[in-house]
Amino acid sequence: FCNLGISLEYRFLNFLYLHSDPKNNSNKRRVFVRLWKHRQKVPRRDTLSDLARLLDARYLIAERAYFHHAKIISGAMFGRAIQESLILGHPGDRADESMLYDHSDDTLMRVVAEKARANGSEIGEHVRNRRLHKIIQFFGEEDFSGPQSHDHENSMKLRTLGILSDPQKRKAWEDLVASQVGATPGDILVYAPPEKMNNKVAQMNVIWKGVEHKLCDIDDQVIKPRLEQILIAHRKLWNICLMVSPHLKADVEKRELIVEAFKAEFLCSMEEEEKAQTSYLAKLIEVALVGRREYRPENMKAHKESVQEAANELQKLAASDGRTFAEQLNSLLKKRFRGA
């Protein structure tokens, strides 16, 4: 707390007491804070202020520690390094959290980095040497609310989190986009925290006017607006982070393609998704053609039509063809663009 410049009063500890929870048939007692002076029939203003300051401090810790960009990036990179190390898969290897118990932070990082490197990934070494990825885009509540207004049948945010919270599905998307823009696996990572991460604010049990409540539910005209503002601030901390390796951060063209790939996959309504995916693939084709100096379009209108047709075909191939994206793209360019 001192390093963050936070000072707190702890007088509210004098008003903690154990109270039987009427909702629990086992008669277990729970801790409550008494916020009401029985004889004067008024709230304990000093205790209310102390609890509000405690919640302010909790938000500050979340903002400066839990959601700090370096913590998010290193956590995402280390998680990917662990995933890469498990892909190697030796018989008898443990693939659950019990594998962590035998290690300190340093030994775990060293073992994970070595196993990941054996699988062709250097991301573990990059974490150890603080060669951290860079965040290129945040996607918050506002980014989902706009497209969501055009799609009332599906929750776009829940669908996105359903995919990105699954390690295998998240890795598949990251690697697919990496192959599409000419990067290596692990160069593109996504950090997608649960929607309710660190959002359990003002849930402490209190006695208010002689009745058990959650702090956030009391009807005090002074403290309630303050608690609502703290809750809004916590919600605004939530973001999905799209990050890339440092050399990709410097490549503006690839960086823009990666952001567009995310938007086409996760920020489009069902009826707009196919159009967005085709537009993204068309840009990939244009970039690939620019890199092939032998190809020179003779008619720009015909060229644009050919690119659009190729994008449509490439989208269909992606769903049914077992080849890699690079193989599909190369074959398609040779077939449709003379000299490419």
Side-chain angles (χ1 to χ4, degrees):
F1 279 3
C2 293
N3 291 336
L4 294 176
I6 300 172
S7 61
L8 291 173
E9 296 288 342
Y10 295 96
R11 286 174 296 179
F12 67 88
L13 295 176
N14 297 327
F15 303 101
L16 294 180
Y17 80 107
L18 293 173
H19 183 71
S20 296
D21 188 348
K23 298 179 182 179
N24 194 323
N25 296 327
S26 64
N27 293 322
K28 290 183 178 179
R29 296 191 296 172
R30 303 183 67 183
V31 176
F32 284 76
V33 183
R34 193 187 299 277
L35 296 179
W36 199 258
K37 296 181 180 180
H38 290 290
R39 294 181 181 178
Q40 290 94 343
K41 296 183 179 181
V42 294
R44 299 183 183 275
R45 286 282 160 214
D46 54 348
T47 307
L48 281 168
S49 295
D50 288 348
L51 292 181
R53 290 177 65 188
L54 182 64
L55 293 174
D56 280 330
R58 189 174 187 272
Y59 170 79
L60 194 59
I61 292 171
E63 180 187 65
R64 300 187 182 181
Y66 300 152
F67 286 91
H68 189 277
H69 67 279
K71 178 262 181 189
I72 287 173
I73 294 170
S74 58
M77 292 179 68
F78 194 50
R80 175 63 186 250
I82 291 176
Q83 195 174 12
E84 293 286 356
S85 70
L86 293 176
I87 290 173
L88 195 59
H90 295 296
D93 278 359
R94 288 171 291 169
D96 54 34
E97 69 175 45
S98 66
M99 66 172 284
L100 309 178
Y101 300 159
D102 301 332
H103 297 284
S104 66
D105 290 349
D106 183 64
T107 61
L108 177 63
M109 187 170 291
R110 185 171 66 251
V111 168
V112 165
E114 289 172 355
K115 286 190 174 183
R117 192 189 309 114
N119 196 44
S121 173
E122 295 294 328
I123 196 166
E125 281 298 322
H126 292 171
V127 178
R128 290 184 68 188
N129 297 318
R130 287 194 61 81
R131 295 199 297 271
L132 300 183
H133 281 37
K134 308 296 181 184
I135 295 175
I136 59 171
Q137 190 82 14
F138 293 96
F139 299 97
E141 186 74 36
E142 299 82 1
D143 296 289
F144 287 94
S145 59
Q148 185 67 67
S149 63
H150 302 291
D151 189 345
H152 301 291
E153 294 185 8
N154 305 282
S155 172
M156 297 173 64
K157 185 164 68 172
L158 290 180
R159 171 184 167 273
T160 299
L161 290 175
I163 295 172
L164 296 179
S165 62
D166 183 304
Q168 298 304 325
K169 292 179 181 178
R170 183 176 63 247
K171 180 179 182 299
W173 184 85
E174 292 168 346
D175 290 351
L176 173 62
V177 178
S179 69
Q180 290 173 340
V181 301
T184 58
D187 277 346
I188 300 169
L189 298 177
V190 181
Y191 174 75
E195 189 178 6
K196 294 184 179 180
M197 176 181 173
N198 198 52
N199 206 22
K200 297 179 181 178
V201 295
Q203 293 293 310
M204 63 187 72
N205 298 312
V206 300
I207 299 296
W208 180 256
K209 299 180 181 179
V211 180
E212 297 89 353
H213 285 287
K214 297 294 184 183
L215 178 61
C216 59
D217 296 329
I218 65 174
D219 59 357
D220 184 73
Q221 294 181 351
V222 175
I223 203 69
K224 193 171 184 65
R226 189 171 174 184
L227 296 181
E228 289 175 350
Q229 288 301 313
I230 295 173
L231 181 60
I232 291 171
H234 271 275
R235 287 173 179 162
K236 287 187 175 295
L237 282 178
W238 180 89
N239 282 290
I240 293 176
C241 302
L242 183 59
M243 62 192 77
V244 299
S245 56
H247 71 275
L248 283 182
K249 174 72 185 313
D251 191 325
V252 176
E253 186 175 57
K254 287 185 178 180
R255 192 176 67 212
E256 291 176 349
L257 283 171
I258 294 165
V259 172
E260 184 162 348
F262 185 96
K263 291 179 177 179
E265 181 71 27
F266 301 115
L267 289 177
C268 289
S269 62
M270 297 295 286
E271 51 190 45
E272 295 174 340
E273 184 176 347
E274 184 175 348
K275 181 180 178 181
Q277 290 282 0
T278 304
S279 174
Y280 165 65
L281 292 173
K283 290 182 180 179
L284 289 176
I285 292 170
E286 291 277 16
V287 170
L289 288 173
V290 169
R292 303 192 177 204
R293 297 180 181 178
E294 298 84 0
Y295 172 72
R296 291 290 185 272
E298 297 176 0
N299 183 294
M300 287 308 298
K301 182 179 179 181
H303 167 77
K304 292 292 183 183
E305 291 175 353
S306 296
V307 168
Q308 189 64 36
E309 291 171 1
N312 290 329
E313 185 175 346
L314 187 58
Q315 188 171 18
K316 293 175 182 177
L317 284 175
S320 60
D321 197 321
R323 294 174 296 172
T324 65
F325 179 83
E327 291 170 341
Q328 292 172 348
L329 179 60
N330 188 54
S331 174
L332 191 62
L333 293 181
K334 288 182 178 180
K335 183 176 73 173
R336 284 191 169 271
F337 301 92
R338 188 170 56 187

